[in-house]
Amino acid sequence: MKKMWYFYTAMIDKKAIRKGFVFKKYEAPFQSPFDRIFEVFKELITHTSGDFDEAIEWLRELDKEYMLTTDDYSIDDFIEDLKKKGYIREELDPDGNGGMAITAKTERAIRQQALDHIFGKIKRSGKGNHKSKSPGIGDEHTGDYRNYQFGDALDKVSMTESLKNAQINHGIGDFNLSEDDLVVEETLHKSQMSTVLMIDVSHSMILYGEDRITPAKRVAMALAELITTRYPKDTLDILVFGNDAWQIEIKDLPYLKVGPYHTNTVAGLQLAMDLLRRKRNTNKQIFMITDGKPSCLRLPDGQYYKNSNGLDKHIVNKCYAMAQQARRLHIPITTFMIAQDSYLMQFVREFTYANQGKAFYTGLKGLGEMIFEDYETNRKKRIRG
């Protein structure tokens, strides 16, 4: 009887310390009917470039197929909740007809969803700054220590480590703190980044049955949300280029559409460099998302020179000249080339060589992740002009 008791106790102890994985059926976190449908609505409003009526029409079609609503909560109930929560408002179109439009609250929600979708759940931080790899006077702690040198600021002295050195060197009984005991924690220089994001809105961005503009503007919204929330001291300017180039505001991104345009890459680069010249930050960069070849120039007399047949030498050489000019201004250009045509890739390679920048040859998949990784890499560099 005694042996059995010990055996039973041992079995209990083994079970108590047993470790492993427990597999069970996945249960999605609870979402209210509104929250569940709102996730779909934000995707649709991005695809429809902010057209509320079209988004709701698509939502009703999806509801028929996937039963998004219930007997107790319909699409009409969802629209009423959008009004109550301040996501939509009534407004008049130029013809005087009434209709519904999304609000700034919805625009922020779309940007946040884009950020979560592309970059994952990135936590906000109070201050956002970019740090270089070189140690020096700053306030980004590295965890590394060095001996105190004359001229070091006293607030940089690590008192904990210095007192520990004093105890080791002189003992506790006769406590003495000398200059040789003092250590300073290394810090990193912080730098601020000014970025211009160029988005191609030429007609080719929706050709061949592929929607390329929606992923591009989703990346732009995510990058804008990342910078404004995590790195508020940085600047982000967004411009689009077709026959001409013009700047747009972050709030305009959900409504961005392509037009019947050619691709005036030179105009986009000129505007990007003009914007960056006004910035005081040392670190400056240009991100360019494009899928087409440069096919347009604006001449001094205001007329347009266009050629969509192959690569026009006159247009291409102007692009190379702009790339070299940006290089002289210490502005690296990173090109995200969506198209895979070999002759276009060769143009991008030569353009990148002229600027000494970088190029990514990619489809639409993974575009956001690549831009984020490149942004995070560039922010650690300190470009000295």
Side-chain angles (χ1 to χ4, degrees):
M1 189 70 178
K2 190 173 182 180
K3 289 182 180 179
M4 289 180 64
W5 170 256
Y6 284 133
F7 175 76
Y8 178 66
T9 303
M11 288 294 291
I12 291 176
D13 290 341
K14 282 186 178 181
K15 290 181 73 175
I17 63 173
R18 186 176 297 168
K19 296 181 180 180
F21 297 96
V22 177
F23 295 92
K24 61 181 181 179
K25 186 177 180 181
Y26 172 76
E27 295 181 2
F30 173 77
Q31 281 186 309
S32 67
F34 173 83
D35 291 334
R36 186 176 64 252
I37 300 174
F38 190 50
E39 293 298 311
V40 181
F41 172 76
K42 286 184 288 186
E43 285 291 330
L44 293 174
I45 205 70
T46 302
H47 280 277
T48 62
S49 298
D51 190 323
F52 175 79
D53 293 332
E54 186 181 355
I56 291 297
E57 185 178 341
W58 277 106
L59 190 62
R60 293 188 189 277
E61 292 298 320
L62 290 174
D63 184 32
K64 292 177 184 177
E65 186 172 353
Y66 297 103
M67 295 179 291
L68 301 176
T69 61
T70 64
D71 293 337
D72 297 327
Y73 195 83
S74 66
I75 296 296
D76 292 329
D77 294 327
F78 172 70
I79 294 173
E80 285 301 315
D81 279 347
L82 287 175
K83 293 179 184 177
K84 293 176 183 176
K85 295 176 183 290
Y87 288 109
I88 58 175
R89 67 175 184 275
E90 293 187 26
E91 65 175 23
L92 296 176
D93 61 22
D95 298 327
N97 300 317
M100 303 303 301
I102 63 175
T103 63
K105 185 177 181 180
T106 308
E107 295 163 2
R108 287 194 300 271
I110 295 171
R111 292 198 299 269
Q112 184 60 54
Q113 184 185 50
L115 178 65
D116 294 341
H117 176 73
I118 294 175
F119 302 146
K121 302 289 185 181
I122 299 175
K123 296 180 179 179
R124 297 190 181 197
S125 61
K127 285 187 178 180
N129 297 279
H130 303 301
K131 54 189 180 184
S132 70
K133 294 180 180 178
S134 58
I137 299 173
D139 56 359
E140 185 74 20
H141 298 284
T142 66
D144 297 325
Y145 298 93
R146 61 172 174 80
N147 292 331
Y148 173 82
Q149 298 174 356
F150 178 77
D152 286 332
L154 293 178
D155 61 344
K156 301 301 180 184
V157 173
S158 173
M159 291 307 301
T160 302
E161 294 297 319
S162 299
L163 290 173
K164 184 173 71 174
N165 287 343
Q167 292 176 353
I168 294 172
N169 296 334
H170 310 293
I172 299 177
D174 185 18
F175 180 76
N176 182 30
L177 180 67
S178 67
E179 183 177 337
D180 293 335
D181 300 322
L182 299 178
V183 293
V184 174
E185 185 174 4
E186 291 276 27
T187 57
L188 290 174
H189 284 291
K190 283 189 176 180
S191 58
Q192 298 173 14
M193 177 71 76
S194 289
T195 302
V196 172
L197 177 62
M198 297 173 50
I199 303 176
D200 185 349
V201 292
S202 62
H203 187 57
S204 59
M205 291 290 277
I206 55 170
L207 282 181
Y208 317 115
E210 186 174 45
D211 176 14
R212 296 168 173 175
I213 189 63
T214 299
K217 67 183 179 183
R218 184 182 287 120
V219 167
M221 288 189 291
L223 189 62
E225 190 69 10
L226 172 76
I227 291 174
T228 55
T229 56
R230 187 169 180 177
Y231 303 114
K233 291 186 178 181
D234 284 6
T235 65
L236 174 66
D237 292 286
I238 303 171
L239 65 87
V240 295
F241 60 105
N243 292 346
D244 294 291
W246 60 97
Q247 190 176 3
I248 64 172
E249 301 294 331
I250 291 174
K251 63 181 180 62
D252 300 326
L253 282 170
Y255 314 102
L256 188 62
K257 297 180 181 180
V258 301
Y261 307 126
H262 286 68
T263 307
N264 193 342
T265 307
V266 170
L269 293 170
Q270 286 175 334
L271 178 56
M273 283 188 276
D274 286 344
L275 292 170
L276 289 175
R277 282 191 189 97
R278 305 171 197 167
K279 308 299 182 184
R280 295 183 179 179
N281 295 344
T282 303
N283 285 10
K284 300 175 183 180
Q285 64 181 350
I286 296 173
F287 286 164
M288 178 168 65
I289 303 174
T290 182
D291 76 325
K293 57 182 174 289
S295 59
C296 177
L297 282 177
R298 185 165 182 145
L299 302 176
D301 61 3
Q303 296 186 23
Y304 293 95
Y305 173 75
K306 302 175 184 178
N307 185 1
S308 298
N309 298 320
L311 285 170
D312 186 290
K313 277 192 173 182
H314 179 58
I315 297 175
V316 167
N317 287 336
K318 288 285 187 182
C319 291
Y320 296 154
M322 293 301 299
Q324 292 170 345
Q325 183 179 344
R327 180 185 176 184
R328 289 193 292 271
L329 294 172
H330 304 282
I331 301 174
I333 302 171
T334 303
T335 305
F336 297 88
M337 190 67 175
I338 298 173
Q340 300 288 338
D341 308 70
S342 58
Y343 77 105
L344 293 179
M345 293 171 68
Q346 179 61 30
F347 158 70
V348 172
R349 277 192 286 270
E350 293 179 12
F351 176 86
T352 303
Y353 177 77
N355 176 254
Q356 292 297 295
K358 285 183 288 186
F360 294 89
Y361 306 94
T362 174
L364 299 176
K365 187 177 181 181
L367 176 65
E369 288 83 352
M370 279 186 287
I371 288 182
F372 171 70
E373 289 174 5
D374 198 58
Y375 183 82
E376 289 289 294
T377 301
N378 290 349
R379 73 184 178 84
K380 297 175 184 177
K381 298 178 181 177
R382 189 169 181 85
I383 305 168
R384 301 189 183 277

